[in-house]
Amino acid sequence: MEGTGYVEDKRNEEVELQEEKTRLAGVIDIINREILNYIEKRKDITQYILDSRKKNIEDFEDDEDKIIEYFDHERFVKEEAFKTIDKRLKELTILELSPYFGRVDFKEEDEDQKIYVGRFGVTPDGAYEPLIVDWRAPVSSLFYTSSLGPNKYTAPLGEVEVEVIKKRQYIIKKKKLIGLFDSSVDVKDDILQLVLSKNAEEKLKDIVMSIQEEQDNIIRQPRNKMVVVNGVAGSGKTTIALHRVAYLLYNNRETLQDKVLILGPNPIFMEYISSVLPSLGEVGVNQKTYREFAIELLDIRQRDIMLTKEYMERILKGDSDFIKDVTYKNSDKFIVDLDNLIADVEKNYYALQDVVYNNKVVVSKAEVEEMYIKYYSNIPLFRRVKKLKRIIFSRLKDERDSVVRKIEQDYQESISGLSKDELRLQGTSLDYKRKLKIREAIKVLIDVKKGLNWLEEPSIIELYTKLSSEKPYTMDDLTALLYLSIKFEGLTIDSEIKHVVIDEAQDYSKLALKVIKDLTDCKGMTIVGDSNQRLIPLEGDILPFNSLENFIDDIEIEHFKLNKSYRSTKEIMEYANKFLGEDTIVPLVRSGEPVKKLVVKSEDEFEEKVNNLIKEYKEKDFDSIAVVCRNLDITEKYGKILGKKNSLKVIDREDIIYQGGAVIIPSYLAKGLEFDAVIIIEDRNYSEKDKFMYVMATRALHELAVVKY
């Protein structure tokens, strides 16, 4: 009987597989028809624009203004129409090769429902039901839940209760169904294992099909709240942040389009993630480093700003004075000192006094003080002083006009009492005296205005030298200058920002987070980081991004903790755990090769062993291999040795674009990246709780080797 049942099950599986293959072929056929349909639409729009252009040029050939107006309008219509059609064609072209990756069968109000979930949604012309549902649609959240049975999803009109009957995942490559699995989408899931076993770049783009429930929950959080994720290396923080952007844009496009800002740690990282949002159909999202963000807002020369590598190198080399300065500028005391500086300038810098014109007090010192201290106290200081100057200038102008009117009046009275002969004899002299008096009144006014130098504003950079006079400026100094610019000048961003994403948030100071919030005035933010990866010295154990409630008001904040790592193999994560003390990572049960530990005693042996490792990894078809060193000196030293027989690229600057292959890179520039295989150069004895070692080890996806020299 057991044999019969097994045969029956296999037969059912084969029938079901054939049905799914038939359906897939039908879906691809529909997508192809949709592609042709959109190509036809593009042709029609092109022809319409050409016909319209010809007609309008003929109609308005004698009216240049009308022709210009027409072309301005035509350009807008053309751009918008083509933008929409091209975006849809790109989506359909992606879907043609792999239309969907999941299916959910569920009951809603006793009615059987079935949806197929894909990277993008498709509802053919004339159809009422979607052929494929976009993964960002509310109902698609059912696919990412961890179990079958009673469940719910949040629709625009409220929560909808359902019963999930089946969840199925598909592997579809180049229009072919490779396999399917019925599962509860947990971390042991076959497709998750398949995605995680891929090479780094391919994995980054395919992650949408393997998002876990805890990750999906964060992605779908409401727009107007501050979502803070503290996740271990490999827990998917960056993936969550980028997919949350795609999700929010999909559901709030009119509000958020072109109003999302992503801040990352360095250009290498920004380039590394640059392909993710386009692969999800989102383009035009503003992505920049915090350094670029600050420089754009401040009038400071690039050469006056310390590079990230010099900043980190001085920390790594134990520069005690520099570390003391960095610790201070990341402390609460620094913020207090900045606030005291602001209060001191406000209280003592301006020596307010009477404004006198023509021996008359036009604006009294008491009135100036009242405006300065009381009426306009809520305006940033320099803008407040500018407003006072405008008011004073206006009063002086009124007084000057009054004096000029009196001069004119006296002149008219003088000439009105003269006879024609007297006017002929004295008129020119009286007119000259009139003009002289008016000129004198204007000169006195100019002198009074020049004398208002007690209302001149100081340079923010000059004021800042009271706290820090050293150059080049570090990122901590740029943050302080931004803060002073906000408080003194009311500095704002020109473009409107509705949502901010901060990656590697563990390295941000409390002041930097305050500055970003004040400048953007965002009600919605996504902040992701790893407490264990903070490499910048800080007083105390509580990182600012984990305690936002203490210094940011008027915004809902929710914290999420992620302890599971989906990046590396069990063996790699167990090795990395050694450097964390108690706060360990829960590794996914994806086994791989043991961590190799090699000890070499000479340069020749070092060169031979490491070159053999690189060769071995290349033979395994690993696309990205990194030799990771603690600092730049070691990177450059071993880069020369290994570069003799390898096309090994030395990443020694933060503006170098990483495009795969074998590289040698210092630890702080590797942060946030992942590589198929990593070789750590251990040039010293590492201690427990060594965060640099933790960072270096957790860059590896599949294989890790540690070479001690």
Side-chain angles (χ1 to χ4, degrees), residues 550-580:
N550 298 337
F551 55 92
I552 291 181
D553 302 319
D554 305 323
I555 187 168
E556 182 186 352
I557 300 172
E558 186 168 357
H559 293 269
F560 297 87
K561 178 77 174 168
L562 298 176
N563 288 319
K564 291 178 185 174
S565 175
Y566 301 98
R567 174 185 294 154
S568 311
T569 64
K570 182 169 177 276
E571 290 77 7
I572 293 169
M573 296 319 297
E574 285 175 349
Y575 178 80
N577 272 338
K578 290 190 212 172
F579 305 100
L580 291 185

Short mmCIF file of all heavy atoms in Angstrom, two decimals, residues 550-580:
data_model
loop_
_atom_site.label_atom_id
_atom_site.label_comp_id
_atom_site.label_asym_id
_atom_site.label_seq_id
_atom_site.Cartn_x
_atom_site.Cartn_y
_atom_site.Cartn_z
N ASN A 550 15.48 59.89 23.05
CA ASN A 550 16.05 60.80 24.04
C ASN A 550 16.37 62.19 23.47
O ASN A 550 16.57 63.13 24.23
CB ASN A 550 17.34 60.21 24.63
CG ASN A 550 17.09 58.91 25.37
OD1 ASN A 550 15.97 58.65 25.81
ND2 ASN A 550 18.12 58.08 25.50
N PHE A 551 16.42 62.30 22.14
CA PHE A 551 16.79 63.61 21.60
C PHE A 551 16.03 64.01 20.33
O PHE A 551 16.28 65.07 19.77
CB PHE A 551 18.31 63.67 21.33
CG PHE A 551 18.85 62.59 20.43
CD1 PHE A 551 18.94 62.78 19.07
CD2 PHE A 551 19.27 61.37 20.95
CE1 PHE A 551 19.44 61.79 18.24
CE2 PHE A 551 19.77 60.38 20.14
CZ PHE A 551 19.86 60.60 18.78
N ILE A 552 15.09 63.19 19.87
CA ILE A 552 14.26 63.57 18.74
C ILE A 552 12.79 63.49 19.15
O ILE A 552 12.34 62.44 19.63
CB ILE A 552 14.54 62.69 17.51
CG1 ILE A 552 15.93 63.00 16.94
CG2 ILE A 552 13.48 62.88 16.42
CD1 ILE A 552 16.33 62.23 15.72
N ASP A 553 12.08 64.58 18.98
CA ASP A 553 10.67 64.67 19.41
C ASP A 553 9.73 64.66 18.20
O ASP A 553 10.15 64.76 17.05
CB ASP A 553 10.44 65.97 20.20
CG ASP A 553 11.35 66.07 21.42
OD1 ASP A 553 11.52 65.04 22.10
OD2 ASP A 553 11.87 67.17 21.68
N ASP A 554 8.45 64.56 18.51
CA ASP A 554 7.37 64.74 17.52
C ASP A 554 7.42 63.76 16.36
O ASP A 554 7.08 64.11 15.22
CB ASP A 554 7.38 66.18 16.95
CG ASP A 554 7.30 67.22 18.05
OD1 ASP A 554 6.58 66.97 19.02
OD2 ASP A 554 7.96 68.26 17.93
N ILE A 555 7.87 62.55 16.62
CA ILE A 555 7.85 61.53 15.57
C ILE A 555 7.76 60.16 16.23
O ILE A 555 8.35 59.92 17.28
CB ILE A 555 9.12 61.63 14.68
CG1 ILE A 555 9.03 60.69 13.47
CG2 ILE A 555 10.38 61.35 15.47
CD1 ILE A 555 10.09 60.95 12.42
N GLU A 556 6.95 59.29 15.63
CA GLU A 556 6.82 57.93 16.16
C GLU A 556 8.07 57.14 15.82
O GLU A 556 8.53 57.13 14.67
CB GLU A 556 5.58 57.25 15.55
CG GLU A 556 5.34 55.86 16.09
CD GLU A 556 4.21 55.13 15.37
OE1 GLU A 556 3.51 55.76 14.55
OE2 GLU A 556 4.05 53.92 15.63
N ILE A 557 8.64 56.49 16.82
CA ILE A 557 9.88 55.72 16.63
C ILE A 557 9.63 54.28 17.06
O ILE A 557 9.08 54.04 18.13
CB ILE A 557 11.04 56.31 17.45
CG1 ILE A 557 11.31 57.76 17.04
CG2 ILE A 557 12.31 55.48 17.29
CD1 ILE A 557 12.29 58.50 17.93
N GLU A 558 10.03 53.33 16.20
CA GLU A 558 9.93 51.92 16.57
C GLU A 558 11.25 51.22 16.26
O GLU A 558 11.80 51.38 15.17
CB GLU A 558 8.78 51.22 15.84
CG GLU A 558 8.57 49.80 16.34
CD GLU A 558 7.28 49.15 15.86
OE1 GLU A 558 6.49 49.84 15.17
OE2 GLU A 558 7.07 47.97 16.16
N HIS A 559 11.73 50.46 17.24
CA HIS A 559 13.01 49.76 17.10
C HIS A 559 12.80 48.29 16.76
O HIS A 559 11.88 47.65 17.29
CB HIS A 559 13.82 49.87 18.40
CG HIS A 559 14.27 51.26 18.72
ND1 HIS A 559 15.48 51.76 18.30
CD2 HIS A 559 13.66 52.27 19.40
CE1 HIS A 559 15.61 53.00 18.72
NE2 HIS A 559 14.52 53.34 19.39
N PHE A 560 13.65 47.77 15.90
CA PHE A 560 13.62 46.36 15.53
C PHE A 560 15.03 45.80 15.71
O PHE A 560 16.02 46.42 15.32
CB PHE A 560 13.18 46.18 14.07
CG PHE A 560 11.79 46.65 13.80
CD1 PHE A 560 11.54 47.98 13.47
CD2 PHE A 560 10.71 45.79 13.89
CE1 PHE A 560 10.26 48.43 13.22
CE2 PHE A 560 9.42 46.22 13.64
CZ PHE A 560 9.19 47.55 13.31
N LYS A 561 15.11 44.60 16.29
CA LYS A 561 16.39 43.94 16.51
C LYS A 561 16.43 42.68 15.65
O LYS A 561 15.51 41.85 15.69
CB LYS A 561 16.53 43.58 17.99
CG LYS A 561 17.81 42.84 18.35
CD LYS A 561 19.01 43.76 18.41
CE LYS A 561 20.24 43.02 18.93
NZ LYS A 561 21.47 43.78 18.73
N LEU A 562 17.48 42.54 14.85
CA LEU A 562 17.64 41.36 14.00
C LEU A 562 18.92 40.62 14.40
O LEU A 562 20.01 41.18 14.31
CB LEU A 562 17.73 41.77 12.52
CG LEU A 562 16.51 42.49 11.92
CD1 LEU A 562 16.80 42.90 10.49
CD2 LEU A 562 15.27 41.61 11.98
N ASN A 563 18.77 39.37 14.83
CA ASN A 563 19.92 38.58 15.28
C ASN A 563 20.31 37.47 14.31
O ASN A 563 21.35 36.84 14.47
CB ASN A 563 19.64 37.95 16.65
CG ASN A 563 19.65 38.99 17.75
OD1 ASN A 563 20.51 39.86 17.74
ND2 ASN A 563 18.71 38.92 18.66
N LYS A 564 19.45 37.20 13.32
CA LYS A 564 19.74 36.13 12.37
C LYS A 564 20.56 36.67 11.20
O LYS A 564 20.24 37.71 10.64
CB LYS A 564 18.45 35.52 11.83
CG LYS A 564 17.66 34.73 12.86
CD LYS A 564 16.38 34.21 12.24
CE LYS A 564 15.51 33.51 13.30
NZ LYS A 564 14.20 33.13 12.75
N SER A 565 21.59 35.93 10.84
CA SER A 565 22.41 36.31 9.69
C SER A 565 22.09 35.40 8.52
O SER A 565 22.13 34.19 8.64
CB SER A 565 23.90 36.21 10.03
OG SER A 565 24.66 36.47 8.88
N TYR A 566 21.77 36.02 7.38
CA TYR A 566 21.46 35.26 6.17
C TYR A 566 22.61 35.31 5.17
O TYR A 566 22.51 34.76 4.09
CB TYR A 566 20.20 35.84 5.50
CG TYR A 566 19.00 35.82 6.40
CD1 TYR A 566 18.62 36.95 7.12
CD2 TYR A 566 18.24 34.66 6.55
CE1 TYR A 566 17.52 36.92 7.95
CE2 TYR A 566 17.14 34.62 7.39
CZ TYR A 566 16.78 35.76 8.09
OH TYR A 566 15.69 35.73 8.93
N ARG A 567 23.68 36.01 5.53
CA ARG A 567 24.77 36.22 4.57
C ARG A 567 25.72 35.04 4.50
O ARG A 567 25.91 34.43 3.45
CB ARG A 567 25.56 37.48 4.93
CG ARG A 567 26.80 37.69 4.06
CD ARG A 567 27.62 38.87 4.53
NE ARG A 567 26.90 40.11 4.36
CZ ARG A 567 27.09 41.19 5.08
NH1 ARG A 567 27.98 41.18 6.05
NH2 ARG A 567 26.40 42.29 4.85
N SER A 568 26.34 34.73 5.61
CA SER A 568 27.47 33.81 5.61
C SER A 568 27.06 32.41 6.04
O SER A 568 25.99 32.19 6.60
CB SER A 568 28.56 34.33 6.55
OG SER A 568 28.83 35.69 6.29
N THR A 569 27.97 31.48 5.81
CA THR A 569 27.72 30.11 6.24
C THR A 569 27.81 30.01 7.76
O THR A 569 28.33 30.91 8.43
CB THR A 569 28.77 29.16 5.63
OG1 THR A 569 30.06 29.53 6.15
CG2 THR A 569 28.77 29.22 4.12
N LYS A 570 27.30 28.90 8.27
CA LYS A 570 27.31 28.64 9.71
C LYS A 570 28.75 28.72 10.25
O LYS A 570 29.01 29.29 11.31
CB LYS A 570 26.70 27.26 9.97
CG LYS A 570 26.60 26.84 11.42
CD LYS A 570 25.74 25.58 11.50
CE LYS A 570 25.66 25.05 12.94
NZ LYS A 570 26.81 24.22 13.28
N GLU A 571 29.68 28.14 9.52
CA GLU A 571 31.07 28.11 9.96
C GLU A 571 31.67 29.52 10.08
O GLU A 571 32.38 29.82 11.04
CB GLU A 571 31.92 27.27 8.99
CG GLU A 571 31.63 25.77 9.02
CD GLU A 571 30.35 25.39 8.27
OE1 GLU A 571 29.75 26.27 7.62
OE2 GLU A 571 29.96 24.22 8.35
N ILE A 572 31.37 30.37 9.09
CA ILE A 572 31.90 31.74 9.11
C ILE A 572 31.30 32.53 10.28
O ILE A 572 32.01 33.24 11.00
CB ILE A 572 31.62 32.45 7.76
CG1 ILE A 572 32.44 31.79 6.64
CG2 ILE A 572 31.94 33.94 7.85
CD1 ILE A 572 32.06 32.23 5.25
N MET A 573 29.98 32.38 10.48
CA MET A 573 29.33 33.15 11.54
C MET A 573 29.77 32.69 12.93
O MET A 573 29.91 33.50 13.85
CB MET A 573 27.81 33.07 11.41
CG MET A 573 27.25 33.70 10.14
SD MET A 573 28.04 35.27 9.66
CE MET A 573 27.63 36.31 11.04
N GLU A 574 30.01 31.41 13.08
CA GLU A 574 30.50 30.92 14.38
C GLU A 574 31.89 31.47 14.67
O GLU A 574 32.22 31.79 15.81
CB GLU A 574 30.50 29.38 14.39
CG GLU A 574 29.09 28.81 14.55
CD GLU A 574 29.06 27.29 14.44
OE1 GLU A 574 30.09 26.70 14.03
OE2 GLU A 574 28.00 26.70 14.75
N TYR A 575 32.69 31.61 13.62
CA TYR A 575 34.02 32.22 13.79
C TYR A 575 33.88 33.70 14.17
O TYR A 575 34.54 34.18 15.09
CB TYR A 575 34.83 32.07 12.50
CG TYR A 575 36.19 32.71 12.58
CD1 TYR A 575 37.24 32.06 13.21
CD2 TYR A 575 36.42 33.97 12.04
CE1 TYR A 575 38.50 32.65 13.30
CE2 TYR A 575 37.67 34.57 12.12
CZ TYR A 575 38.70 33.91 12.75
OH TYR A 575 39.93 34.51 12.84
N ALA A 576 32.99 34.42 13.47
CA ALA A 576 32.79 35.86 13.74
C ALA A 576 32.25 36.08 15.15
O ALA A 576 32.57 37.10 15.79
CB ALA A 576 31.84 36.45 12.70
N ASN A 577 31.44 35.14 15.63
CA ASN A 577 30.85 35.28 16.97
C ASN A 577 31.91 35.38 18.07
O ASN A 577 31.66 35.95 19.13
CB ASN A 577 29.93 34.08 17.27
CG ASN A 577 28.51 34.32 16.79
OD1 ASN A 577 28.09 35.47 16.62
ND2 ASN A 577 27.76 33.26 16.58
N LYS A 578 33.08 34.84 17.82
CA LYS A 578 34.15 34.87 18.83
C LYS A 578 34.51 36.30 19.23
O LYS A 578 35.01 36.54 20.32
CB LYS A 578 35.41 34.21 18.28
CG LYS A 578 35.35 32.73 18.09
CD LYS A 578 36.77 32.27 17.79
CE LYS A 578 36.78 31.09 16.87
NZ LYS A 578 38.13 30.77 16.44
N PHE A 579 34.28 37.24 18.32
CA PHE A 579 34.72 38.61 18.56
C PHE A 579 33.62 39.52 19.10
O PHE A 579 33.77 40.72 19.16
CB PHE A 579 35.30 39.19 17.26
CG PHE A 579 36.39 38.35 16.69
CD1 PHE A 579 36.15 37.47 15.65
CD2 PHE A 579 37.67 38.40 17.23
CE1 PHE A 579 37.16 36.67 15.14
CE2 PHE A 579 38.69 37.60 16.73
CZ PHE A 579 38.43 36.73 15.68
N LEU A 580 32.49 38.92 19.50
CA LEU A 580 31.35 39.71 19.96
C LEU A 580 31.05 39.58 21.44
O LEU A 580 30.18 40.27 21.95
CB LEU A 580 30.08 39.33 19.17
CG LEU A 580 30.05 39.71 17.70
CD1 LEU A 580 28.71 39.38 17.11
CD2 LEU A 580 30.37 41.19 17.51
#
